[in-house]
Amino acid sequence: MCIPEKIEKILLTEDQLKEKVTLLGDELTKEYSGKNPLFVCVLNGAVVFFSDLIRTVKCPLEIEFFRASSYIGTNSSGDVNADESDIPDIEGRDVVIVEDIIDTARTLSKVKEMFLRHGPRSLRIVCLLDKPSRREVENFTADNSCFEIEDLFVVGYGLDCDQQFRNLPYIGVYKA
Ligand code: IMP
Ligand code: MG
């Protein structure tokens, strides 16, 4: 495999990602059978995780997309860009928000607040990676997170640095 020069090391391999995503899919299958849940992908970063995850969930579901961003390069801008008018119709639905990573948690806490105003029957937050040491919104956690990681800037499997590296099939540590 050709590893780009900007990748310091591989943190999570394709096999490790696949194993955890499949376990999560099994759990969600049990939880949501018969409920026709709505899985919402937070764009852009979650797109690869989302497309793998939904294929491991073995009950009927629907999908939607929602755009939210706060990062410029390797720094959180602090400003969360998300438009409440883009929220799909979730009233009375069992909603699963799928995100790539929780860092300061500013993005997801704002997204969660916005979604809750639209009357879902239930709301679950699922993320691939969690960096708890970077938290700024106190006590914010996902309902499910696949991997807890240290304070490292990572790319690949959907995650980017200035829009690059999303297509790497693994999660790599970015060399700043
Ligand atoms: P938060 O609002 O600080 O929790 O940041 C969440 C968003 O920042 C995520 O949805 C990612 O898009 C981006 N982000 C945070 N950490 C990383 C990282 O290590 N690599 C790539 N993107 C990141
Ligand atoms: Mg994201």
Side-chain angles (χ1 to χ4, degrees), residues 45 68 70-71 76 80 99-108 131 134 149 152-155 159-161:
S70 67
Y71 256 64
S76 177
V80 180
E99 173 63 309
D100 52 359
I101 186 165
I102 310 185
D103 184 48
T104 65
R106 287 200 207 105
T107 309
L108 268 184
K131 285 196 244 182
R134 295 254 315 153
I149 64 168
L152 296 165
F153 194 82
V154 292
V155 294
L159 288 101
D160 73 309
C161 180

mmCIF file with all atom_site columns, all heavy atoms in Angstrom, residues 45 68 70-71 76 80 99-108 131 134 149 152-155 159-161, ligand 1:
data_model
loop_
_atom_site.group_PDB
_atom_site.id
_atom_site.type_symbol
_atom_site.label_atom_id
_atom_site.label_alt_id
_atom_site.label_comp_id
_atom_site.label_asym_id
_atom_site.label_entity_id
_atom_site.label_seq_id
_atom_site.pdbx_PDB_ins_code
_atom_site.Cartn_x
_atom_site.Cartn_y
_atom_site.Cartn_z
_atom_site.occupancy
_atom_site.B_iso_or_equiv
_atom_site.pdbx_formal_charge
_atom_site.auth_seq_id
_atom_site.auth_comp_id
_atom_site.auth_asym_id
_atom_site.auth_atom_id
_atom_site.pdbx_PDB_model_num
ATOM   1   N N   . GLY A 1 45  ? -17.560 14.666 6.519  1.00 0.00 ? 45  GLY A N   1
ATOM   2   C CA  . GLY A 1 45  ? -16.638 13.704 7.115  1.00 0.00 ? 45  GLY A CA  1
ATOM   3   C C   . GLY A 1 45  ? -17.185 12.311 7.368  1.00 0.00 ? 45  GLY A C   1
ATOM   4   O O   . GLY A 1 45  ? -16.449 11.330 7.333  1.00 0.00 ? 45  GLY A O   1
ATOM   5   N N   . ALA A 1 68  ? -22.673 20.030 8.218  1.00 0.00 ? 68  ALA A N   1
ATOM   6   C CA  . ALA A 1 68  ? -22.216 20.843 9.359  1.00 0.00 ? 68  ALA A CA  1
ATOM   7   C C   . ALA A 1 68  ? -20.702 20.871 9.318  1.00 0.00 ? 68  ALA A C   1
ATOM   8   O O   . ALA A 1 68  ? -20.069 19.872 9.004  1.00 0.00 ? 68  ALA A O   1
ATOM   9   C CB  . ALA A 1 68  ? -22.687 20.237 10.669 1.00 0.00 ? 68  ALA A CB  1
ATOM   10  N N   . SER A 1 70  ? -16.929 22.927 11.078 1.00 0.00 ? 70  SER A N   1
ATOM   11  C CA  . SER A 1 70  ? -16.340 23.914 11.980 1.00 0.00 ? 70  SER A CA  1
ATOM   12  C C   . SER A 1 70  ? -14.826 23.987 11.852 1.00 0.00 ? 70  SER A C   1
ATOM   13  O O   . SER A 1 70  ? -14.211 24.837 12.455 1.00 0.00 ? 70  SER A O   1
ATOM   14  C CB  . SER A 1 70  ? -16.693 23.598 13.431 1.00 0.00 ? 70  SER A CB  1
ATOM   15  O OG  . SER A 1 70  ? -16.063 22.406 13.825 1.00 0.00 ? 70  SER A OG  1
ATOM   16  N N   . TYR A 1 71  ? -14.233 23.087 11.053 1.00 0.00 ? 71  TYR A N   1
ATOM   17  C CA  . TYR A 1 71  ? -12.777 23.032 10.988 1.00 0.00 ? 71  TYR A CA  1
ATOM   18  C C   . TYR A 1 71  ? -12.202 23.763 9.782  1.00 0.00 ? 71  TYR A C   1
ATOM   19  O O   . TYR A 1 71  ? -12.737 23.709 8.690  1.00 0.00 ? 71  TYR A O   1
ATOM   20  C CB  . TYR A 1 71  ? -12.313 21.572 10.920 1.00 0.00 ? 71  TYR A CB  1
ATOM   21  C CG  . TYR A 1 71  ? -11.757 21.082 12.240 1.00 0.00 ? 71  TYR A CG  1
ATOM   22  C CD1 . TYR A 1 71  ? -12.564 21.004 13.361 1.00 0.00 ? 71  TYR A CD1 1
ATOM   23  C CD2 . TYR A 1 71  ? -10.421 20.728 12.372 1.00 0.00 ? 71  TYR A CD2 1
ATOM   24  C CE1 . TYR A 1 71  ? -12.065 20.565 14.567 1.00 0.00 ? 71  TYR A CE1 1
ATOM   25  C CE2 . TYR A 1 71  ? -9.915  20.282 13.578 1.00 0.00 ? 71  TYR A CE2 1
ATOM   26  C CZ  . TYR A 1 71  ? -10.746 20.203 14.675 1.00 0.00 ? 71  TYR A CZ  1
ATOM   27  O OH  . TYR A 1 71  ? -10.234 19.766 15.860 1.00 0.00 ? 71  TYR A OH  1
ATOM   28  N N   . SER A 1 76  ? -10.078 23.747 14.926 1.00 0.00 ? 76  SER A N   1
ATOM   29  C CA  . SER A 1 76  ? -11.511 24.003 15.002 1.00 0.00 ? 76  SER A CA  1
ATOM   30  C C   . SER A 1 76  ? -11.693 25.512 14.950 1.00 0.00 ? 76  SER A C   1
ATOM   31  O O   . SER A 1 76  ? -11.026 26.252 15.666 1.00 0.00 ? 76  SER A O   1
ATOM   32  C CB  . SER A 1 76  ? -12.061 23.452 16.323 1.00 0.00 ? 76  SER A CB  1
ATOM   33  O OG  . SER A 1 76  ? -13.418 23.766 16.419 1.00 0.00 ? 76  SER A OG  1
ATOM   34  N N   . VAL A 1 80  ? -19.685 27.010 14.323 1.00 0.00 ? 80  VAL A N   1
ATOM   35  C CA  . VAL A 1 80  ? -20.294 25.847 13.683 1.00 0.00 ? 80  VAL A CA  1
ATOM   36  C C   . VAL A 1 80  ? -21.205 26.325 12.559 1.00 0.00 ? 80  VAL A C   1
ATOM   37  O O   . VAL A 1 80  ? -22.090 27.146 12.789 1.00 0.00 ? 80  VAL A O   1
ATOM   38  C CB  . VAL A 1 80  ? -21.097 25.011 14.708 1.00 0.00 ? 80  VAL A CB  1
ATOM   39  C CG1 . VAL A 1 80  ? -21.729 23.824 14.043 1.00 0.00 ? 80  VAL A CG1 1
ATOM   40  C CG2 . VAL A 1 80  ? -20.188 24.575 15.854 1.00 0.00 ? 80  VAL A CG2 1
ATOM   41  N N   . GLU A 1 99  ? -21.849 10.652 12.787 1.00 0.00 ? 99  GLU A N   1
ATOM   42  C CA  . GLU A 1 99  ? -20.783 11.658 12.659 1.00 0.00 ? 99  GLU A CA  1
ATOM   43  C C   . GLU A 1 99  ? -19.421 10.966 12.633 1.00 0.00 ? 99  GLU A C   1
ATOM   44  O O   . GLU A 1 99  ? -19.275 9.849  13.120 1.00 0.00 ? 99  GLU A O   1
ATOM   45  C CB  . GLU A 1 99  ? -20.923 12.636 13.842 1.00 0.00 ? 99  GLU A CB  1
ATOM   46  C CG  . GLU A 1 99  ? -19.838 13.662 14.005 1.00 0.00 ? 99  GLU A CG  1
ATOM   47  C CD  . GLU A 1 99  ? -19.706 14.655 12.866 1.00 0.00 ? 99  GLU A CD  1
ATOM   48  O OE1 . GLU A 1 99  ? -19.633 14.210 11.707 1.00 0.00 ? 99  GLU A OE1 1
ATOM   49  O OE2 . GLU A 1 99  ? -19.633 15.868 13.130 1.00 0.00 ? 99  GLU A OE2 1
ATOM   50  N N   . ASP A 1 100 ? -18.440 11.651 12.052 1.00 0.00 ? 100 ASP A N   1
ATOM   51  C CA  . ASP A 1 100 ? -17.104 11.045 11.981 1.00 0.00 ? 100 ASP A CA  1
ATOM   52  C C   . ASP A 1 100 ? -16.371 11.079 13.308 1.00 0.00 ? 100 ASP A C   1
ATOM   53  O O   . ASP A 1 100 ? -15.828 10.074 13.759 1.00 0.00 ? 100 ASP A O   1
ATOM   54  C CB  . ASP A 1 100 ? -16.258 11.706 10.871 1.00 0.00 ? 100 ASP A CB  1
ATOM   55  C CG  . ASP A 1 100 ? -16.194 13.229 10.954 1.00 0.00 ? 100 ASP A CG  1
ATOM   56  O OD1 . ASP A 1 100 ? -16.816 13.809 11.860 1.00 0.00 ? 100 ASP A OD1 1
ATOM   57  O OD2 . ASP A 1 100 ? -15.524 13.841 10.103 1.00 0.00 ? 100 ASP A OD2 1
ATOM   58  N N   . ILE A 1 101 ? -16.348 12.275 13.951 1.00 0.00 ? 101 ILE A N   1
ATOM   59  C CA  . ILE A 1 101 ? -15.489 12.417 15.137 1.00 0.00 ? 101 ILE A CA  1
ATOM   60  C C   . ILE A 1 101 ? -16.049 13.476 16.078 1.00 0.00 ? 101 ILE A C   1
ATOM   61  O O   . ILE A 1 101 ? -16.612 14.468 15.627 1.00 0.00 ? 101 ILE A O   1
ATOM   62  C CB  . ILE A 1 101 ? -14.041 12.767 14.681 1.00 0.00 ? 101 ILE A CB  1
ATOM   63  C CG1 . ILE A 1 101 ? -13.061 12.789 15.858 1.00 0.00 ? 101 ILE A CG1 1
ATOM   64  C CG2 . ILE A 1 101 ? -13.965 14.055 13.908 1.00 0.00 ? 101 ILE A CG2 1
ATOM   65  C CD1 . ILE A 1 101 ? -11.587 12.764 15.416 1.00 0.00 ? 101 ILE A CD1 1
ATOM   66  N N   . ILE A 1 102 ? -15.915 13.228 17.369 1.00 0.00 ? 102 ILE A N   1
ATOM   67  C CA  . ILE A 1 102 ? -16.241 14.267 18.360 1.00 0.00 ? 102 ILE A CA  1
ATOM   68  C C   . ILE A 1 102 ? -14.934 14.749 18.952 1.00 0.00 ? 102 ILE A C   1
ATOM   69  O O   . ILE A 1 102 ? -14.149 13.964 19.474 1.00 0.00 ? 102 ILE A O   1
ATOM   70  C CB  . ILE A 1 102 ? -17.137 13.761 19.506 1.00 0.00 ? 102 ILE A CB  1
ATOM   71  C CG1 . ILE A 1 102 ? -18.344 13.027 18.975 1.00 0.00 ? 102 ILE A CG1 1
ATOM   72  C CG2 . ILE A 1 102 ? -17.587 14.938 20.368 1.00 0.00 ? 102 ILE A CG2 1
ATOM   73  C CD1 . ILE A 1 102 ? -19.313 12.631 20.071 1.00 0.00 ? 102 ILE A CD1 1
ATOM   74  N N   . ASP A 1 103 ? -14.741 16.043 18.846 1.00 0.00 ? 103 ASP A N   1
ATOM   75  C CA  . ASP A 1 103 ? -13.501 16.656 19.298 1.00 0.00 ? 103 ASP A CA  1
ATOM   76  C C   . ASP A 1 103 ? -13.876 17.619 20.429 1.00 0.00 ? 103 ASP A C   1
ATOM   77  O O   . ASP A 1 103 ? -14.075 17.183 21.566 1.00 0.00 ? 103 ASP A O   1
ATOM   78  C CB  . ASP A 1 103 ? -12.908 17.336 18.048 1.00 0.00 ? 103 ASP A CB  1
ATOM   79  C CG  . ASP A 1 103 ? -11.565 17.956 18.251 1.00 0.00 ? 103 ASP A CG  1
ATOM   80  O OD1 . ASP A 1 103 ? -10.681 17.309 18.812 1.00 0.00 ? 103 ASP A OD1 1
ATOM   81  O OD2 . ASP A 1 103 ? -11.385 19.109 17.832 1.00 0.00 ? 103 ASP A OD2 1
ATOM   82  N N   . THR A 1 104 ? -14.062 18.883 20.148 1.00 0.00 ? 104 THR A N   1
ATOM   83  C CA  . THR A 1 104 ? -14.531 19.793 21.207 1.00 0.00 ? 104 THR A CA  1
ATOM   84  C C   . THR A 1 104 ? -15.996 19.519 21.560 1.00 0.00 ? 104 THR A C   1
ATOM   85  O O   . THR A 1 104 ? -16.468 19.898 22.619 1.00 0.00 ? 104 THR A O   1
ATOM   86  C CB  . THR A 1 104 ? -14.433 21.264 20.756 1.00 0.00 ? 104 THR A CB  1
ATOM   87  O OG1 . THR A 1 104 ? -15.336 21.471 19.666 1.00 0.00 ? 104 THR A OG1 1
ATOM   88  C CG2 . THR A 1 104 ? -13.024 21.634 20.344 1.00 0.00 ? 104 THR A CG2 1
ATOM   89  N N   . ALA A 1 105 ? -16.714 18.898 20.639 1.00 0.00 ? 105 ALA A N   1
ATOM   90  C CA  . ALA A 1 105 ? -18.159 18.614 20.730 1.00 0.00 ? 105 ALA A CA  1
ATOM   91  C C   . ALA A 1 105 ? -19.031 19.833 20.436 1.00 0.00 ? 105 ALA A C   1
ATOM   92  O O   . ALA A 1 105 ? -20.247 19.782 20.585 1.00 0.00 ? 105 ALA A O   1
ATOM   93  C CB  . ALA A 1 105 ? -18.563 17.973 22.061 1.00 0.00 ? 105 ALA A CB  1
ATOM   94  N N   . ARG A 1 106 ? -18.413 20.916 19.979 1.00 0.00 ? 106 ARG A N   1
ATOM   95  C CA  . ARG A 1 106 ? -19.235 22.082 19.624 1.00 0.00 ? 106 ARG A CA  1
ATOM   96  C C   . ARG A 1 106 ? -20.196 21.751 18.482 1.00 0.00 ? 106 ARG A C   1
ATOM   97  O O   . ARG A 1 106 ? -21.357 22.131 18.510 1.00 0.00 ? 106 ARG A O   1
ATOM   98  C CB  . ARG A 1 106 ? -18.339 23.243 19.194 1.00 0.00 ? 106 ARG A CB  1
ATOM   99  C CG  . ARG A 1 106 ? -17.605 23.906 20.332 1.00 0.00 ? 106 ARG A CG  1
ATOM   100 C CD  . ARG A 1 106 ? -17.175 25.302 19.879 1.00 0.00 ? 106 ARG A CD  1
ATOM   101 N NE  . ARG A 1 106 ? -16.002 25.734 20.595 1.00 0.00 ? 106 ARG A NE  1
ATOM   102 C CZ  . ARG A 1 106 ? -14.778 25.771 20.061 1.00 0.00 ? 106 ARG A CZ  1
ATOM   103 N NH1 . ARG A 1 106 ? -14.586 25.418 18.812 1.00 0.00 ? 106 ARG A NH1 1
ATOM   104 N NH2 . ARG A 1 106 ? -13.753 26.170 20.773 1.00 0.00 ? 106 ARG A NH2 1
ATOM   105 N N   . THR A 1 107 ? -19.680 21.037 17.481 1.00 0.00 ? 107 THR A N   1
ATOM   106 C CA  . THR A 1 107 ? -20.515 20.745 16.313 1.00 0.00 ? 107 THR A CA  1
ATOM   107 C C   . THR A 1 107 ? -21.715 19.891 16.700 1.00 0.00 ? 107 THR A C   1
ATOM   108 O O   . THR A 1 107 ? -22.865 20.266 16.466 1.00 0.00 ? 107 THR A O   1
ATOM   109 C CB  . THR A 1 107 ? -19.690 19.993 15.228 1.00 0.00 ? 107 THR A CB  1
ATOM   110 O OG1 . THR A 1 107 ? -18.500 20.726 14.983 1.00 0.00 ? 107 THR A OG1 1
ATOM   111 C CG2 . THR A 1 107 ? -20.480 19.828 13.954 1.00 0.00 ? 107 THR A CG2 1
ATOM   112 N N   . LEU A 1 108 ? -21.427 18.749 17.321 1.00 0.00 ? 108 LEU A N   1
ATOM   113 C CA  . LEU A 1 108 ? -22.542 17.832 17.599 1.00 0.00 ? 108 LEU A CA  1
ATOM   114 C C   . LEU A 1 108 ? -23.503 18.373 18.646 1.00 0.00 ? 108 LEU A C   1
ATOM   115 O O   . LEU A 1 108 ? -24.702 18.097 18.575 1.00 0.00 ? 108 LEU A O   1
ATOM   116 C CB  . LEU A 1 108 ? -22.013 16.474 18.043 1.00 0.00 ? 108 LEU A CB  1
ATOM   117 C CG  . LEU A 1 108 ? -21.824 15.468 16.925 1.00 0.00 ? 108 LEU A CG  1
ATOM   118 C CD1 . LEU A 1 108 ? -21.401 14.128 17.486 1.00 0.00 ? 108 LEU A CD1 1
ATOM   119 C CD2 . LEU A 1 108 ? -23.105 15.290 16.094 1.00 0.00 ? 108 LEU A CD2 1
ATOM   120 N N   . LYS A 1 131 ? -12.441 12.049 20.743 1.00 0.00 ? 131 LYS A N   1
ATOM   121 C CA  . LYS A 1 131 ? -11.219 12.570 21.371 1.00 0.00 ? 131 LYS A CA  1
ATOM   122 C C   . LYS A 1 131 ? -11.627 13.250 22.670 1.00 0.00 ? 131 LYS A C   1
ATOM   123 O O   . LYS A 1 131 ? -11.755 14.483 22.720 1.00 0.00 ? 131 LYS A O   1
ATOM   124 C CB  . LYS A 1 131 ? -10.573 13.636 20.460 1.00 0.00 ? 131 LYS A CB  1
ATOM   125 C CG  . LYS A 1 131 ? -9.862  13.124 19.247 1.00 0.00 ? 131 LYS A CG  1
ATOM   126 C CD  . LYS A 1 131 ? -8.950  14.231 18.683 1.00 0.00 ? 131 LYS A CD  1
ATOM   127 C CE  . LYS A 1 131 ? -9.367  14.659 17.321 1.00 0.00 ? 131 LYS A CE  1
ATOM   128 N NZ  . LYS A 1 131 ? -8.512  15.691 16.700 1.00 0.00 ? 131 LYS A NZ  1
ATOM   129 N N   . ARG A 1 134 ? -10.154 16.561 24.314 1.00 0.00 ? 134 ARG A N   1
ATOM   130 C CA  . ARG A 1 134 ? -10.304 17.873 23.662 1.00 0.00 ? 134 ARG A CA  1
ATOM   131 C C   . ARG A 1 134 ? -11.657 18.534 23.955 1.00 0.00 ? 134 ARG A C   1
ATOM   132 O O   . ARG A 1 134 ? -11.961 19.608 23.442 1.00 0.00 ? 134 ARG A O   1
ATOM   133 C CB  . ARG A 1 134 ? -10.191 17.680 22.147 1.00 0.00 ? 134 ARG A CB  1
ATOM   134 C CG  . ARG A 1 134 ? -8.823  17.192 21.719 1.00 0.00 ? 134 ARG A CG  1
ATOM   135 C CD  . ARG A 1 134 ? -8.036  18.281 21.069 1.00 0.00 ? 134 ARG A CD  1
ATOM   136 N NE  . ARG A 1 134 ? -8.844  19.029 20.122 1.00 0.00 ? 134 ARG A NE  1
ATOM   137 C CZ  . ARG A 1 134 ? -8.611  20.296 19.798 1.00 0.00 ? 134 ARG A CZ  1
ATOM   138 N NH1 . ARG A 1 134 ? -7.618  20.938 20.343 1.00 0.00 ? 134 ARG A NH1 1
ATOM   139 N NH2 . ARG A 1 134 ? -9.383  20.895 18.913 1.00 0.00 ? 134 ARG A NH2 1
ATOM   140 N N   . ILE A 1 149 ? -9.717  8.024  20.837 1.00 0.00 ? 149 ILE A N   1
ATOM   141 C CA  . ILE A 1 149 ? -8.322  8.255  20.430 1.00 0.00 ? 149 ILE A CA  1
ATOM   142 C C   . ILE A 1 149 ? -7.722  9.420  21.214 1.00 0.00 ? 149 ILE A C   1
ATOM   143 O O   . ILE A 1 149 ? -8.438  10.227 21.800 1.00 0.00 ? 149 ILE A O   1
ATOM   144 C CB  . ILE A 1 149 ? -8.177  8.511  18.903 1.00 0.00 ? 149 ILE A CB  1
ATOM   145 C CG1 . ILE A 1 149 ? -8.904  9.798  18.473 1.00 0.00 ? 149 ILE A CG1 1
ATOM   146 C CG2 . ILE A 1 149 ? -8.681  7.322  18.108 1.00 0.00 ? 149 ILE A CG2 1
ATOM   147 C CD1 . ILE A 1 149 ? -8.552  10.245 17.053 1.00 0.00 ? 149 ILE A CD1 1
ATOM   148 N N   . LEU A 1 152 ? -4.830  13.658 18.677 1.00 0.00 ? 152 LEU A N   1
ATOM   149 C CA  . LEU A 1 152 ? -4.047  13.592 17.437 1.00 0.00 ? 152 LEU A CA  1
ATOM   150 C C   . LEU A 1 152 ? -4.940  14.079 16.310 1.00 0.00 ? 152 LEU A C   1
ATOM   151 O O   . LEU A 1 152 ? -6.154  13.860 16.368 1.00 0.00 ? 152 LEU A O   1
ATOM   152 C CB  . LEU A 1 152 ? -3.688  12.137 17.115 1.00 0.00 ? 152 LEU A CB  1
ATOM   153 C CG  . LEU A 1 152 ? -2.795  11.386 18.089 1.00 0.00 ? 152 LEU A CG  1
ATOM   154 C CD1 . LEU A 1 152 ? -2.847  9.896  17.804 1.00 0.00 ? 152 LEU A CD1 1
ATOM   155 C CD2 . LEU A 1 152 ? -1.371  11.921 17.985 1.00 0.00 ? 152 LEU A CD2 1
ATOM   156 N N   . PHE A 1 153 ? -4.356  14.709 15.295 1.00 0.00 ? 153 PHE A N   1
ATOM   157 C CA  . PHE A 1 153 ? -5.170  15.062 14.138 1.00 0.00 ? 153 PHE A CA  1
ATOM   158 C C   . PHE A 1 153 ? -5.097  13.912 13.148 1.00 0.00 ? 153 PHE A C   1
ATOM   159 O O   . PHE A 1 153 ? -4.021  13.510 12.718 1.00 0.00 ? 153 PHE A O   1
ATOM   160 C CB  . PHE A 1 153 ? -4.710  16.375 13.497 1.00 0.00 ? 153 PHE A CB  1
ATOM   161 C CG  . PHE A 1 153 ? -5.744  16.897 12.551 1.00 0.00 ? 153 PHE A CG  1
ATOM   162 C CD1 . PHE A 1 153 ? -6.832  17.618 13.020 1.00 0.00 ? 153 PHE A CD1 1
ATOM   163 C CD2 . PHE A 1 153 ? -5.669  16.626 11.196 1.00 0.00 ? 153 PHE A CD2 1
ATOM   164 C CE1 . PHE A 1 153 ? -7.824  18.063 12.150 1.00 0.00 ? 153 PHE A CE1 1
ATOM   165 C CE2 . PHE A 1 153 ? -6.654  17.066 10.322 1.00 0.00 ? 153 PHE A CE2 1
ATOM   166 C CZ  . PHE A 1 153 ? -7.734  17.783 10.804 1.00 0.00 ? 153 PHE A CZ  1
ATOM   167 N N   . VAL A 1 154 ? -6.252  13.360 12.826 1.00 0.00 ? 154 VAL A N   1
ATOM   168 C CA  . VAL A 1 154 ? -6.288  12.161 11.988 1.00 0.00 ? 154 VAL A CA  1
ATOM   169 C C   . VAL A 1 154 ? -7.045  12.417 10.688 1.00 0.00 ? 154 VAL A C   1
ATOM   170 O O   . VAL A 1 154 ? -7.921  13.285 10.630 1.00 0.00 ? 154 VAL A O   1
ATOM   171 C CB  . VAL A 1 154 ? -6.934  10.965 12.744 1.00 0.00 ? 154 VAL A CB  1
ATOM   172 C CG1 . VAL A 1 154 ? -6.047  10.501 13.884 1.00 0.00 ? 154 VAL A CG1 1
ATOM   173 C CG2 . VAL A 1 154 ? -8.331  11.307 13.247 1.00 0.00 ? 154 VAL A CG2 1
ATOM   174 N N   . VAL A 1 155 ? -6.682  11.677 9.674  1.00 0.00 ? 155 VAL A N   1
ATOM   175 C CA  . VAL A 1 155 ? -7.344  11.795 8.366  1.00 0.00 ? 155 VAL A CA  1
ATOM   176 C C   . VAL A 1 155 ? -7.594  10.402 7.795  1.00 0.00 ? 155 VAL A C   1
ATOM   177 O O   . VAL A 1 155 ? -7.041  9.408  8.268  1.00 0.00 ? 155 VAL A O   1
ATOM   178 C CB  . VAL A 1 155 ? -6.489  12.616 7.357  1.00 0.00 ? 155 VAL A CB  1
ATOM   179 C CG1 . VAL A 1 155 ? -6.351  14.063 7.783  1.00 0.00 ? 155 VAL A CG1 1
ATOM   180 C CG2 . VAL A 1 155 ? -5.112  11.992 7.147  1.00 0.00 ? 155 VAL A CG2 1
ATOM   181 N N   . LEU A 1 159 ? -12.367 11.429 6.824  1.00 0.00 ? 159 LEU A N   1
ATOM   182 C CA  . LEU A 1 159 ? -11.866 12.629 7.503  1.00 0.00 ? 159 LEU A CA  1
ATOM   183 C C   . LEU A 1 159 ? -10.793 13.310 6.656  1.00 0.00 ? 159 LEU A C   1
ATOM   184 O O   . LEU A 1 159 ? -9.986  12.633 6.007  1.00 0.00 ? 159 LEU A O   1
ATOM   185 C CB  . LEU A 1 159 ? -11.275 12.271 8.870  1.00 0.00 ? 159 LEU A CB  1
ATOM   186 C CG  . LEU A 1 159 ? -12.315 11.883 9.915  1.00 0.00 ? 159 LEU A CG  1
ATOM   187 C CD1 . LEU A 1 159 ? -12.362 10.382 10.055 1.00 0.00 ? 159 LEU A CD1 1
ATOM   188 C CD2 . LEU A 1 159 ? -12.028 12.530 11.246 1.00 0.00 ? 159 LEU A CD2 1
ATOM   189 N N   . ASP A 1 160 ? -10.782 14.629 6.719  1.00 0.00 ? 160 ASP A N   1
ATOM   190 C CA  . ASP A 1 160 ? -9.895  15.387 5.833  1.00 0.00 ? 160 ASP A CA  1
ATOM   191 C C   . ASP A 1 160 ? -8.969  16.324 6.571  1.00 0.00 ? 160 ASP A C   1
ATOM   192 O O   . ASP A 1 160 ? -9.165  16.622 7.754  1.00 0.00 ? 160 ASP A O   1
ATOM   193 C CB  . ASP A 1 160 ? -10.747 16.245 4.887  1.00 0.00 ? 160 ASP A CB  1
ATOM   194 C CG  . ASP A 1 160 ? -11.365 17.435 5.622  1.00 0.00 ? 160 ASP A CG  1
ATOM   195 O OD1 . ASP A 1 160 ? -11.994 17.223 6.686  1.00 0.00 ? 160 ASP A OD1 1
ATOM   196 O OD2 . ASP A 1 160 ? -11.205 18.578 5.162  1.00 0.00 ? 160 ASP A OD2 1
ATOM   197 N N   . CYS A 1 161 ? -7.968  16.820 5.824  1.00 0.00 ? 161 CYS A N   1
ATOM   198 C CA  . CYS A 1 161 ? -7.261  18.035 6.203  1.00 0.00 ? 161 CYS A CA  1
ATOM   199 C C   . CYS A 1 161 ? -7.364  18.912 4.959  1.00 0.00 ? 161 CYS A C   1
ATOM   200 O O   . CYS A 1 161 ? -6.861  18.521 3.890  1.00 0.00 ? 161 CYS A O   1
ATOM   201 C CB  . CYS A 1 161 ? -5.813  17.760 6.559  1.00 0.00 ? 161 CYS A CB  1
ATOM   202 S SG  . CYS A 1 161 ? -4.983  19.283 7.024  1.00 0.00 ? 161 CYS A SG  1
HETATM 203 P P1  . IMP B 2 .   ? -15.891 19.496 17.166 1.00 0.00 ? 1   IMP B P1  1
HETATM 204 O O1  . IMP B 2 .   ? -17.001 20.453 16.915 1.00 0.00 ? 1   IMP B O1  1
HETATM 205 O O2  . IMP B 2 .   ? -14.678 20.198 17.707 1.00 0.00 ? 1   IMP B O2  1
HETATM 206 O O3  . IMP B 2 .   ? -16.295 18.315 18.021 1.00 0.00 ? 1   IMP B O3  1
HETATM 207 O O4  . IMP B 2 .   ? -15.371 18.980 15.796 1.00 0.00 ? 1   IMP B O4  1
HETATM 208 C C1  . IMP B 2 .   ? -16.018 18.111 15.076 1.00 0.00 ? 1   IMP B C1  1
HETATM 209 C C2  . IMP B 2 .   ? -15.656 18.193 13.613 1.00 0.00 ? 1   IMP B C2  1
HETATM 210 O O5  . IMP B 2 .   ? -14.313 18.642 13.393 1.00 0.00 ? 1   IMP B O5  1
HETATM 211 C C3  . IMP B 2 .   ? -15.712 16.813 13.076 1.00 0.00 ? 1   IMP B C3  1
HETATM 212 O O6  . IMP B 2 .   ? -16.974 16.552 12.561 1.00 0.00 ? 1   IMP B O6  1
HETATM 213 C C4  . IMP B 2 .   ? -14.627 16.805 12.032 1.00 0.00 ? 1   IMP B C4  1
HETATM 214 O O7  . IMP B 2 .   ? -15.180 17.163 10.788 1.00 0.00 ? 1   IMP B O7  1
HETATM 215 C C5  . IMP B 2 .   ? -13.638 17.839 12.475 1.00 0.00 ? 1   IMP B C5  1
HETATM 216 N N1  . IMP B 2 .   ? -12.485 17.207 13.160 1.00 0.00 ? 1   IMP B N1  1
HETATM 217 C C6  . IMP B 2 .   ? -12.218 17.152 14.473 1.00 0.00 ? 1   IMP B C6  1
HETATM 218 N N2  . IMP B 2 .   ? -11.077 16.477 14.732 1.00 0.00 ? 1   IMP B N2  1
HETATM 219 C C7  . IMP B 2 .   ? -10.615 16.089 13.527 1.00 0.00 ? 1   IMP B C7  1
HETATM 220 C C8  . IMP B 2 .   ? -9.461  15.319 13.122 1.00 0.00 ? 1   IMP B C8  1
HETATM 221 O O8  . IMP B 2 .   ? -8.638  14.840 13.902 1.00 0.00 ? 1   IMP B O8  1
HETATM 222 N N3  . IMP B 2 .   ? -9.357  15.124 11.780 1.00 0.00 ? 1   IMP B N3  1
HETATM 223 C C9  . IMP B 2 .   ? -10.243 15.597 10.855 1.00 0.00 ? 1   IMP B C9  1
HETATM 224 N N4  . IMP B 2 .   ? -11.327 16.306 11.206 1.00 0.00 ? 1   IMP B N4  1
HETATM 225 C C10 . IMP B 2 .   ? -11.503 16.551 12.528 1.00 0.00 ? 1   IMP B C10 1
#
